[in-house]
């Protein structure tokens, strides 16, 4: 007879002894993910263009040598290479990468007047940046049987008018995710998170931090009954980075309070 399936003990610290690199990790969703990893017992190397925000994170977290920061421009290959090298020098290993850095503004501009320079800026930062960071962390991730998360957007699935550059960059991340999952598996798993409306006002550097102004309608239009927070993304990120998600790869997960499944006729 087959053995009785064992009862798995819940791991309260699924990131224990794991090192996760997070781009754009000093503010907003990136900071939410970093704090979730730290709360789950892991260590983080955050990269961000904003040095003040990075320094504020380390000062406020007070987690000692479990957190480090280095300024990072994901659109520049040399910057990415130095950032990854610094992480390996500091921690000696890389177990996870979260490609979160990107231009958040959807940029509403008609396609027929959109300058090529602006189009390239979105693609280079939001999409090429994820490629570069994945490229340089992959050798270490292979050794660790690690995981990559690409932070895309629900705008990869639905759009407002005149947002082609942003939508294309986020849609590209979803395609990059399943392509990489096939190429780098089984040693490395790759998934994407597609956030909806996530309020990050309270997750900025201290001088820009404020309480968000949200109406009852803002919350009620979501089937979940509220607007999202960085903790919502961080919780899923920890799962996808952990061994509990060992059978999950090549997927994209929408975290939007149910908005993309809600019929919205005017």
């Amino acid at each position: 007879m087959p053995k009785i399936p064992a009862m798995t003990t819940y791991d309260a610290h699924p990131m224990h002894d794991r090192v996760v690199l997070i781009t754009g990790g000093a503010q907003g969703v990136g900071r939410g993910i970093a704090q979730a990893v730290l709360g789950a017992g892991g260590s983080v190397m955050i990269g961000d263009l904003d040095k003040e925000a990075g320094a504020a994170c380390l000062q406020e977290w007070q987690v000692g040598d479990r957190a480090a920061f280095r300024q990072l421009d994901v659109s520049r290959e040399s910057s990415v290479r130095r950032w990854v090298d610094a992480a390996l020098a500091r921690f000696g290993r890389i177990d996870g990468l979260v490609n979160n850095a990107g231009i958040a503004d959807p940029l509403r501009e008609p396609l027929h007047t959109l300058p090529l320079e602006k189009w390239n800026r979105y693609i280079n930062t939001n999409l090429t940046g994820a490629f570069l960071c994945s490229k340089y962390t992959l050798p270490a991730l292979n050794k660790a049987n690690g995981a990559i998360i690409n932070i895309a957007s629900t705008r990869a699935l639905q759009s407002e008018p005149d947002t082609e550059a942003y939508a294309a960059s986020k849609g590209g991340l979803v395609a990059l995710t399943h392509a990489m999952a096939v190429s780098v598996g089984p040693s490395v798993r790759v998934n994407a998170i597609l956030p909806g409306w996530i309020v990050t006002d309270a997750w900025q550097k201290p001088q820009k931090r404020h309480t968000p102004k949200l109406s009852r309608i803002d919350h009620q239009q979501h089937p979940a009954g509220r607007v999202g927070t960085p903790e919502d993304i961080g919780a899923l990120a920890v799962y996808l980075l952990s061994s509990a998600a060992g059978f999950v790869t090549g997927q994209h997960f929408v975290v939007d309070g149910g908005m993309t499944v809600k019929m919205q006729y005017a």
Side-chain angles (χ1 to χ4, degrees):
M1 288 182 62
K3 292 182 179 180
I4 298 173
M7 184 177 295
T8 303
T9 303
Y10 175 74
D11 188 353
H13 296 96
M15 291 287 98
H16 181 66
D17 288 337
R18 299 198 180 197
V19 177
V20 178
L21 276 58
I22 304 166
T23 70
Q27 300 187 95
V29 167
R31 176 166 177 158
I33 295 171
Q35 291 189 191
V37 171
L38 290 168
S43 299
V44 298
M45 169 64 122
I46 56 174
D48 205 290
L49 279 172
D50 195 321
K51 291 191 290 185
E52 288 184 351
C57 285
L58 299 186
Q59 182 179 13
E60 293 175 342
W61 289 340
Q62 292 293 304
V63 292
D65 60 5
R66 288 203 295 131
F69 166 76
R70 183 184 178 101
Q71 189 175 33
L72 170 67
D73 181 348
V74 296
S75 68
R76 298 183 59 188
E77 189 167 11
S78 59
S79 179
V80 171
R81 187 170 54 244
R82 288 193 297 267
W83 182 63
V84 174
D85 287 345
L88 287 169
R90 174 69 178 269
F91 295 107
R93 60 182 294 146
I94 299 173
D95 299 278
L97 167 67
V98 180
N99 287 310
N100 167 74
I103 303 169
D105 179 11
L107 179 66
R108 298 190 61 157
E109 185 165 343
L111 187 62
H112 68 278
T113 63
L114 179 65
L116 180 59
E117 180 184 0
K118 287 187 178 180
W119 169 272
N120 286 337
R121 182 167 173 258
Y122 275 79
I123 300 300
N124 289 339
T125 302
N126 294 5
L127 182 56
T128 303
F131 153 70
L132 289 173
C133 292
S134 300
K135 172 183 176 179
Y136 283 100
T137 56
L138 195 55
L141 288 170
N142 271 315
K143 292 180 182 178
N145 291 114
I148 297 173
I149 298 175
N150 295 319
I151 305 299
S153 168
T154 51
R155 288 174 184 266
L157 308 176
Q158 56 182 178
S159 293
E160 292 179 298
D162 304 325
T163 58
E164 282 78 9
Y166 185 83
S169 69
K170 293 300 186 177
L173 280 174
V174 173
L176 180 66
T177 295
H178 61 69
M180 286 175 53
V182 173
S183 298
V184 304
S187 58
V188 178
R189 295 179 298 102
V190 188
N191 291 290
I193 299 177
L194 283 59
W197 185 352
I198 306 296
V199 180
T200 62
D201 306 68
W203 293 76
Q204 305 303 314
K205 59 185 177 181
Q207 57 268 44
K208 288 192 173 182
R209 198 174 294 161
H210 61 273
T211 302
K213 296 180 180 179
L214 296 168
S215 69
R216 184 188 304 175
I217 294 176
D218 291 336
H219 292 294
Q220 289 181 340
Q221 68 178 307
H222 291 77
R226 64 173 176 85
V227 176
T229 70
E231 288 106 328
D232 295 316
I233 309 303
L236 179 56
V238 165
Y239 166 70
L240 293 174
L241 291 165
S242 75
S243 59
F247 196 55
V248 182
T249 193
Q251 306 304 307
H252 63 269
F253 297 87
V254 174
V255 184
D256 71 342
M259 287 295 286
T260 51
V261 299
K262 177 183 176 183
M263 298 182 94
Q264 301 180 52
Y265 294 121

